[in-house]
Each structure stands twice: as structure tokens, then as C-alpha cells.
Amino acid sequence: MRKTGKGMFFKKSGAVALALAIVLGGGAGMGRLAADAAAAGGAPPVIDDYESYADDAAMQASWKLDWSDKAGSVAVGLGQASGNHTLKLTVKDATATWANILHPIAEANGNASGYEGIAFWLNNEATDGKPLDLGMEAKTGIANGAFNLKSDGTAQVSRTAGNWETVKFNGGSLHVEAGFKGLVRIGWDQFNQASWQCGGDQTKCSAKLDTGKLTGYQFGFNPSAHANNVIQIDDIGFYGTASGGGAIVPDKPKPVKAGPKAPSWATAAGTRKLAYKQAPIDNPLKGFMPFLDAGKEGFYKIGDDWRDRPSQMPYSMEFFYEPLSEVMKGPNKFDWSHFDKQLNEIASRGHQAVFRFYVDYPNKPSGIPKYLLDGGLQTREYADFDNGKEAKSVSPNWDDPNLISAFENFSAALGKRYDGDPRVGFIMIGLIGFWGEWHTWPYDGWTPKTDDKGNELKDEKGETVRLANWMPSEANQKRVLDAMDKAFNHTRLIVRYPIANDTFKTKNYDIGYHDDSFAFQTLPLSMGGQDWHFWGRTITAGDTEFWKTRPMGGEMRPEIQVPMWNNDPPKYYDPAKPIDGAQGEDFYTAVNLTHASFMMNQGVFQVPMSGVPLKRAKEGSRSLGYEYRVAKTYLDGASGKLKVGAEIENLGVAPFYYDWQVELAAKSGGKIVKKWSVNWKIGGILPNDSSGVNSVLFQSTAQNPKLAKGSYEIAMRVVNPLEKSNAKAVKFMFANASQNANGWLSLGQVKIAK
């Protein structure tokens, strides 16, 4: 939450929101809040009374100084102003203009619909006699779900038990005088949808606060205006009245789904339950994948000979970057030889490729096509990300009409040549921004400009000078998405960020996503992360169900790829070596939330690993994507005509995203005597969930070939289309004990009668 002007909260992409959020199930004490609110007819819980924190370090582990325009501007620690433990905030750098303290509400505990509002005890110490202006924002788990205090709203405060008075907000901030010590309660009706989500236009932000989906609360203040204020907070909780009921309404239990019914022709004798056996780690189009060539600029400097020794991690896909300049030689002139060489190298190992084209990769030669540079395309130089240390890239004017037209022409040509190519698994749209990641941070129009010593620069009005925004316009971003979506109807596409603005919404495209800081900046506010983390953006974009039809991939942040597997559960945690001041996230929490199918993870291939950490890493790879199991089979040949049925369930976290050909076979004496294709659509089977199963029943009756009288073993397989050019293509394997290494799954025996 960023305060700009009087009582307005403003947020740009990449800025971290202030959150002083509460967690249900905290301290058990009721204290001043309980006694006073009970007199008003309520029965509030105290959500945190701070008695569980032994010292400042314990407090800081839970209530983090999450963002400030000056690092360390506010000290977070334990206080005693209430006579018990409090959360104490003290200004350390009075040049800072904002400071953020973060603590979320767990998603499972976010239903406060039975309460009237939020309440807490507040003490404002001020040696200079200055009042305190405290901003506040309630977070909810819906798109554009941030709600801040109304500019013309009010709160109730109580300095003595039972005596409440109404105070007006100071332009959207709670205003209390110096020396105030007492209770504060703010009704839900004093919040409105935060206008920063609607381009600063409050008239476009008119949604109502849904108190059944709370994910956090935000408090904010300006340290430069409150250099001598010490803020202490205690007994945070909800308050209720007779009209509110003072009770949290539990969610209704979800109905349990029933599995598909057996075919009408099925018999008890012909029905079989197939035993489960864990599917292999390297099933096609899922799991961890290495780079085709990590190269000398890779993060890990040991074990770069990993391709010359047996891989410790089975895999089915490989990733590579490709500079646009390598293939695009003119507006409509292309040379695909280098690109095809890399696809062929990956396919020769029986693997599918995932790739991303770029024009600006820091510390690599520019990927801008030469004809565009010769035509006058303007570029910008920069030294960020070690650019120029070994090679020098430049950032183009992303809004140049010739560049955007080039992207459109390239997209059309790429789709015409490679849509449906069996060598390709997934395509990252790329092209725009550093590394093709659809961002130009720190050149985002928000990040402060600094001098050589790291001090923010100010203009003549004393306002922070910010770096320019290099990203292309929303209209030009849309043109790239339009072009790629139009060019591909078979091969699946993914893009870096879920986006929703007035020009386009990524949820309206047949395009999935990739989180390139997976298990580090993935979780939303309600799960201990941030609104701007990947899933926070997904919530804001209103696209949390995308994974059911569009794929999810990404990359583990390089620093966490190996050390996280030393921990159970897998999570990067090293207090001596925080990354950007933070630790990692639980890998499995991120997987189950995002339904990810694949991740770039070079470290687990390159760095020698063994024992328990390697076992954990392998299970992590296996946990991604689909795991299809044939639960039941139905076979019948009593009429002389073969009938086959198979009930397939998904024990993974995501569906398989392609309808690869399904084949059936009849075996006699261990040899295939008949083989035929069936029109079973294997893609899109959703995982089992808490409300039951999403199994799908497939049947083949009239399309089966005639078989002579006798007994046969019936088998099925899903054909990797790469097999047409390479017999070593990784086989699609079911999670069944009767799965054979050659890809065929035995469905059981059937007797064909005359």
C-alpha cells in the first residue's frame, strides 16, 4: 500500500503492498477489546494478543517489515505499553516516506462475515505532540480485492471502557491525537474498493467488501511525518453486535461426486480393478527439465559435465532460449536452421522441447534482428543484471511500430512451421522484456532512481524521481498475444504473467502461464506471500481456474534449486543467506496451489546429489502434472464382438494437455495380433479432488476389429507423436502395476465367442 496525496493508496506493478494483517487462531486472551466490545453486545475473538512471542526476533519472523522506500526504516519488535506484549513499530529512518509490515490471514480462516468490523488496541506515543495518521486496507481473495478506508469515513475510539466516540478519517486515514491510548473499531462499511486497482478512478472501483473471503489487513504510515511516533498495537480481533451475530459461518460441506457408471454391456466377470503402481518420474511433458545447454553463464559452476555421465534425475523435456536475430533476417525472411538443429538434438534423446525467443537477454549479445537495427530501431543501454560484463545486450524501444510488426510476422511464421510439431512440448511466448519475461524491472515507472550511494533522488518539489517505464503499451502487448494465439491451434502456449487491464485480459486467450520464481515468489497474501507474487496476480486477474484447460510451468529460482531439498518439507531456508531478504516457500504448497506441470530446474541435473535430498528432489519432479491411472476395465466378447471399456482417473495435480492418439491391441501368446486406434480424448482429465473423483469412462465397441474365437490379452497405450521420427521417444506410462516398459498397459483377458 502506497500513500500518495491525501488518503489515497496507490500501487504499481512490482511494488510491495503494506500489510499489517491478522491471523485467526492466535492468542487466547480477551483483554480490553473483549471486555469493552462485550458491553456493546458483541462476542469477539482476539486474533493475536502477542503473548506467544518471546523476543523481537520471534515477532519479526511473523510480523515482517516487508517493504519501505528505505530499507530498515521501521523497527518491528515487542512492546509493553499495554502492560502485556504488544507489536511495537519505531521509526529508524525518518527520510522514508512509507513502510510496510506484513502478516496474512490464512485462507481457511478468512470468513469474518458474522462480524461487524475490525478492532484493536492502539497506543500512539509522540514526543513532538504530532497526531498519527494510520492508513488501512483489507485484502480479499478475489480479483481486484483490496479495500481501503473511505476518504470520508469514520471510526469509533474508546479511551475508557464503555465510552465510545466517533472520529472522522483524515482523507482515508485513521486520525488519533498524540498520546492516544485505547480501543479502535472500524465497521466493514467504512471500506471501499481501492482505487489504485482501477487506474486511480474511484468511480470504477465500486465492488463491495466480501468479508467471507478476507486474506489480510494493511496498516500504513509515513515515517517522515511520524519520526517521533512510537506505535504499539495489541489484541487485534473482530467485533460483533447483536445484528452481526458474532459468529463465523462455516462453509457448507461439498457434495461427494460419484464415479462414472459401468457400461450397460458390462458384466461382473468382465470387470477388473487394476492395481496401482507409481508412474515413472520422466513421463512425457511433465516434471523437472534441464537446459539444453546451461553454458558458462549458468548459476551453478560445478557439475557442468552432467550430460557426460548418467543423469541423476530422469526427465522428458529440455529447455532452451533462442535469440530472434538467429532466425529473423527480414520482415518476412527466416532462417530456421539453427533453431531446427536444437529441436533435433533434443528430439534425438527422445525428449520434447520447451523454448523461448528473446530480443534482450542481459549479458548476452543482442537478439534484435539486424534489419531492425539497420532500419533505425532505437535502443537503450543499461548495466543492470551484469549486462556488459561478458557480452552486451540493449533494450529496444518496445513500442516501435516496426518491432511490433516484426513480432506479429514472426509469430505467424513460427506457428505455420511448428504448430503441432511433435518435437515441441510447450512454447513460452517470450519476446518482450528482459529474458522475454514480460517485464523491464527496474525500468517500470515505479522503482526510485538512486545515486551512486543508493540514495533516492528527489526533484525540485521533493518528490521521488522514478526510473522510466520501458514496457510496451498495453495495446502493443495485446498485439503480440493476439498474434501468437492466432498462430497456434495445437501446440500449447504459456506467458509469464496473468494480466487484466482495460485493454486485454490474458484469461481470454488459450494461453497458460509460467512462474519463473516458483516456490519463492508464488504464494499470495493469504498464504504468507504477496499480492504481486504469481498467485496473487492470478487472483487479481480472475483466472485461478486456468490450469483446468491451459498449462502451468515455470522455473525454480536458481538459488533455491538444490538447497531446498535438504529440508522437509522442501523449502529454501537459510537465515545466514536470505535471498532478497526473504526465505523460500513450501514446494508442495506451491505445486498444489498452481497445479504446475513442469519446471526448469538445472541444479538437480547438474550439481551432484545423493541420499535423502536426491530422493526428495525426484519425488518433487514426480509430483508435477498428471498421473493417469486406469482404475477399472470392462471387457466382453460373449457375442463374438469385442467390447472394451476403461475408467481413467488422474491422481496428479493437473490434466494432460494434449489429445495424443490412443491405441488398443489384442495379444495372443504374448504377441500383438491386432492393433487399432480409438478416438478416446485422453487430454483434459481433471485430478481427483476433495469432493470426489473426476474419472472418465472410455468405451470402444463398434470400432473394434473382428477377432477369431479364442482368448486374448487386451492392451492399450498412448502414443507419443515423437515416436514417428524416433523410436526412443519417452513413453506415456500409466500408474498401474500392469504397465509394461514398452508403453503398453494390460487391461486384462477376454474370451471371444462365436
Side-chain angles (χ1 to χ4, degrees):
M1 180 171 62
R2 181 75 181 170
K3 192 163 185 180
T4 59
K6 192 174 183 181
M8 295 296 291
F9 296 103
F10 185 73
K11 183 177 178 183
K12 293 270 190 173
S13 175
V16 181
L18 164 78
L20 181 54
I22 58 180
V23 176
L24 289 169
M30 297 298 281
R32 294 155 303 284
L33 175 61
D36 228 35
V46 168
I47 298 159
D48 201 340
D49 63 3
Y50 302 102
E51 297 309 310
S52 63
Y53 306 114
D55 51 30
D56 287 353
M59 177 71 78
Q60 292 159 9
S62 184
W63 298 77
K64 299 178 184 296
L65 175 60
D66 183 67
W67 181 88
S68 177
D69 53 347
K70 293 295 179 66
S73 65
V74 172
V76 179
L78 280 173
Q80 292 284 338
S82 68
N84 298 295
H85 285 174
T86 64
L87 170 66
K88 183 178 180 180
L89 307 176
T90 307
V91 175
K92 305 299 289 184
D93 186 343
T95 66
T97 59
W98 209 256
N100 302 346
I101 310 233
L102 173 63
H103 193 56
I105 295 177
E107 188 170 0
N109 298 325
N111 186 350
S113 57
Y115 292 89
E116 292 297 305
I118 180 72
F120 52 93
W121 182 87
L122 175 66
N123 182 39
N124 173 35
E125 299 175 22
T127 57
D128 57 3
K130 282 190 176 181
L132 172 67
D133 286 310
L134 190 65
M136 184 176 180
E137 194 166 85
K139 297 287 190 179
T140 66
I142 61 172
N144 295 326
F147 294 78
N148 56 25
L149 299 180
K150 294 179 177 179
S151 60
D152 58 351
T154 61
Q156 288 183 306
V157 299
S158 173
R159 293 176 173 83
T160 58
N163 296 319
W164 291 95
E165 60 181 294
T166 300
V167 297
K168 292 183 177 180
F169 294 155
N170 183 21
S173 294
L174 173 68
H175 184 83
V176 295
E177 298 300 328
F180 174 87
K181 181 184 291 188
L183 296 173
V184 177
R185 62 187 189 192
I186 304 173
W188 301 132
D189 60 353
Q190 299 305 305
F191 291 83
N192 52 206
Q193 192 177 22
S195 62
W196 55 259
Q197 301 167 123
C198 308
D201 186 351
Q202 189 66 67
T203 62
K204 294 182 179 180
C205 271
S206 57
K208 299 298 183 182
L209 173 62
D210 184 351
T211 57
K213 297 181 179 179
L214 297 173
T215 59
Y217 290 95
Q218 299 183 169
F219 288 73
F221 68 99
N222 180 350
S224 66
H226 300 298
N228 297 306
N229 294 71
V230 177
I231 303 168
Q232 297 196 50
I233 296 171
D234 198 2
D235 286 349
I236 295 182
F238 300 130
Y239 75 90
T241 66
S243 61
I248 294 179
V249 180
D251 291 332
K252 294 180 180 179
K254 296 180 180 179
V256 177
K257 299 176 184 176
K261 294 181 179 179
S264 59
W265 49 264
T267 64
T271 300
R272 294 169 178 81
K273 292 183 178 181
L274 299 194
Y276 170 80
K277 182 182 178 181
Q278 201 170 40
I281 297 171
D282 59 343
N283 245 350
L285 304 185
K286 61 167 286 183
F288 293 152
M289 61 180 176
F291 281 71
L292 169 63
D293 180 14
K296 63 181 181 180
E297 76 279 0
F299 180 83
Y300 291 100
K301 306 302 181 184
I302 62 172
D304 201 32
D305 62 340
W306 69 277
R307 282 206 187 275
D308 300 325
R309 48 188 165 84
S311 176
Q312 62 193 3
M313 178 67 68
Y315 61 103
S316 65
M317 295 189 292
E318 301 177 39
F319 175 82
F320 69 95
Y321 284 101
E322 182 80 351
L324 185 60
S325 57
E326 191 68 50
V327 302
M328 195 166 192
K329 307 303 181 181
N332 292 288
K333 184 179 180 181
F334 301 93
D335 179 358
W336 302 102
S337 55
H338 181 265
F339 182 64
D340 275 325
K341 180 181 178 180
Q342 298 186 90
L343 289 180
N344 290 334
E345 181 180 344
I346 293 171
S348 71
R349 290 186 280 269
H351 301 152
Q352 264 98 8
V354 179
F355 59 83
R356 184 193 310 174
F357 277 86
Y358 69 87
V359 297
D360 185 6
Y361 192 123
N363 205 32
K364 280 192 175 184
S366 173
I368 302 172
K370 184 175 182 298
Y371 85 92
L372 289 172
L373 294 171
D374 292 343
L377 174 64
Q378 293 180 339
T379 60
R380 309 175 181 95
E381 295 188 357
Y382 60 94
D384 307 84
F385 314 115
D386 289 330
N387 189 35
K389 186 176 181 180
E390 296 178 357
K392 189 174 183 179
S393 180
V394 291
S395 184
N397 172 10
W398 294 103
D399 281 317
D400 184 281
N402 292 332
L403 179 64
I404 300 301
S405 293
F407 287 164
E408 291 175 322
N409 292 346
F410 165 76
S411 299
L414 186 71
K416 182 177 181 180
R417 184 177 177 91
Y418 295 102
D419 189 24
D421 191 313
R423 298 172 296 176
V424 179
F426 302 94
I427 299 174
M428 296 182 179
I429 288 178
L431 297 175
I432 293 174
F434 296 133
W435 304 282
E437 285 189 1
W438 282 63
H439 76 81
T440 54
W441 184 90
Y443 305 98
D444 54 8
W446 174 253
T447 301
K449 199 171 186 177
T450 59
D451 59 21
D452 294 339
K453 297 181 180 180
N455 297 314
E456 285 187 13
L457 299 179
K458 305 289 185 179
D459 60 20
E460 61 277 5
K461 297 181 180 179
E463 298 289 336
T464 299
V465 178
R466 304 190 185 278
L467 295 171
N469 184 7
W470 288 2
M471 276 292 285
S473 68
E474 293 174 357
N476 283 332
Q477 293 176 45
K478 182 179 185 298
R479 286 175 62 181
V480 175
L481 291 175
D482 288 345
M484 288 293 287
D485 196 25
K486 180 179 179 181
F488 287 90
N489 295 312
H490 303 287
T491 303
R492 306 311 303 266
L493 304 174
I494 52 179
V495 70
R496 176 63 176 96
Y497 294 113
I499 301 172
N501 53 47
D502 291 339
T503 305
F504 68 91
K505 295 177 174 59
T506 49
K507 70 178 183 179
N508 293 333
Y509 293 89
D510 187 17
I511 298 172
Y513 302 111
H514 57 98
D515 178 4
D516 287 355
S517 192
F518 190 79
F520 191 81
Q521 292 176 341
T522 298
L523 302 183
L525 180 64
S526 63
M527 302 179 74
Q530 300 278 17
D531 290 328
W532 55 270
H533 285 184
F534 176 79
W535 203 252
R537 292 174 184 261
T538 307
I539 293 171
T540 298
D543 203 16
T544 56
E545 301 289 296
F546 77 89
W547 59 273
K548 293 182 178 180
T549 57
R550 295 174 280 138
M552 169 69 192
E555 181 179 16
M556 310 293 293
R557 183 163 174 142
E559 300 98 317
I560 75 172
Q561 289 177 2
V562 174
M564 69 183 300
W565 307 107
N566 294 325
N567 304 316
D568 184 18
K571 175 180 178 179
Y572 179 85
Y573 182 74
D574 187 348
K577 298 179 181 178
I579 303 170
D580 295 339
Q583 302 295 330
E585 301 167 340
D586 183 341
F587 172 79
Y588 288 108
T589 299
V591 169
N592 293 329
L593 180 67
T594 64
H595 301 269
S597 286
F598 56 93
M599 286 287 146
M600 292 180 275
N601 195 354
Q602 182 64 31
V604 298
F605 297 94
Q606 182 173 329
V607 178
M609 298 176 67
S610 61
V612 174
L614 178 57
K615 182 179 179 180
R616 289 188 187 128
K618 287 183 174 180
E619 289 308 307
S621 182
R622 192 198 310 272
S623 72
L624 294 166
Y626 66 94
E627 186 180 51
Y628 280 13
R629 173 201 176 200
V630 176
K632 293 180 183 178
T633 63
Y634 305 94
L635 301 174
D636 182 70
S639 65
K641 179 67 176 176
L642 174 65
K643 297 175 182 177
V644 181
E647 179 185 322
I648 300 178
E649 64 178 343
N650 185 356
L651 303 178
V653 297
F656 187 69
Y657 291 100
Y658 287 95
D659 280 318
W660 283 0
Q661 183 64 61
V662 179
E663 290 183 344
L664 298 179
K667 291 183 175 182
S668 180
K671 295 182 179 180
I672 294 177
V673 295
K674 290 283 187 180
K675 183 174 70 174
W676 65 101
S677 297
V678 290
N679 60 352
W680 295 358
K681 301 297 184 182
I682 203 72
I685 301 176
L686 294 177
N688 289 346
D689 57 30
S690 59
S691 61
V693 297
N694 289 308
S695 301
V696 176
L697 176 64
F698 295 97
Q699 299 184 61
S700 179
T701 53
Q703 63 190 120
N704 297 329
K706 292 182 179 179
L707 297 174
K709 179 182 178 182
S711 294
Y712 298 88
E713 176 191 352
I714 304 301
M716 70 173 288
R717 71 170 185 150
V718 177
V719 183
N720 186 333
L722 191 59
E723 290 183 25
K724 294 180 180 179
S725 58
N726 185 358
K728 295 191 302 182
V730 175
K731 302 295 189 291
F732 185 107
M733 309 287 267
F734 288 92
N736 287 102
S738 58
Q739 174 70 64
N740 295 313
N742 62 7
W744 287 101
L745 170 69
S746 177
L747 302 183
Q749 297 285 332
V750 65
K751 187 174 290 186
I752 303 297
K754 282 189 176 180

